Amino acid sequence: MGTLANIHLEADDIETAIGYYQEVVAIAEELGIRQTQGIALLGLGIAHSELEDYETAWDYLRRSFAIAQEMDDYSGQASAMSNMGLVLTSLEQYGEAQTCLEAAATMLSQLGEPYGEAMTLRGLAEQYGQLAQYEVA
């Protein structure tokens, strides 16, 4: 179901993706599969961010991050942190967003994930652009 959710999210069928992610969260929670639950919560956070429902996105991403920490899943922490930074930017909480994005970029660099690092740095540059700090961006 997680794969189906990802496919629908990529196809901009966000409501269907949310339904699948919610099913995965419920099943993973019932079975005690924390890592799968955390990944599905990350998907829910991203989906709600796409809908510009940033408060709900924040809640899902925060829960995903907590599970990743609990599981010592450094990659999961970095992914959640990056998306949390993007949500905070959308909520115009720039100081906290910068902290999240910089930490995520560092983590992704350490993990050798250049695409994730580049996307996170792009988010940080866009934030600086919104603040008219073009020299930093």
Side-chain angles (χ1 to χ4, degrees):
M1 273 187 249
T3 302
L4 287 172
N6 293 338
I7 291 168
H8 284 281
L9 186 61
E10 289 295 320
D12 288 328
D13 185 5
I14 297 169
E15 295 296 336
T16 302
I18 287 172
Y20 282 122
Y21 284 129
Q22 287 172 331
E23 286 184 55
V24 172
V25 168
I27 292 168
E29 189 171 26
E30 182 180 318
L31 297 175
I33 307 171
R34 298 289 285 160
Q35 189 167 18
T36 299
Q37 183 182 0
I39 292 167
L41 288 167
L42 177 68
L44 280 166
I46 293 168
H48 281 278
S49 182
E50 290 291 319
L51 293 175
E52 298 182 6
D53 181 2
Y54 299 118
E55 298 295 335
T56 302
W58 174 259
D59 181 57
Y60 284 124
L61 293 169
R62 181 189 54 76
R63 290 169 55 198
S64 175
F65 181 78
I67 290 171
Q69 276 188 311
E70 172 190 315
M71 303 294 300
D72 290 324
D73 176 4
Y74 201 61
S75 179
Q77 291 174 50
S79 294
M81 181 85 63
S82 178
N83 284 285
M84 290 165 69
L86 297 174
V87 166
L88 288 167
T89 297
S90 296
L91 292 170
E92 298 181 356
Q93 296 178 20
Y94 298 116
E96 292 176 64
Q98 180 179 350
T99 300
C100 284
L101 291 168
E102 287 176 349
T106 299
M107 295 168 81
L108 290 162
S109 174
Q110 292 169 349
L111 288 165
E113 295 184 20
Y115 179 77
E117 181 185 7
M119 295 307 294
T120 300
L121 291 172
R122 176 181 171 204
L124 190 58
E126 287 175 0
Q127 175 185 321
Y128 285 125
Q130 289 176 347
L131 296 171
Q133 294 179 356
Y134 304 115
E135 299 284 326
V136 180

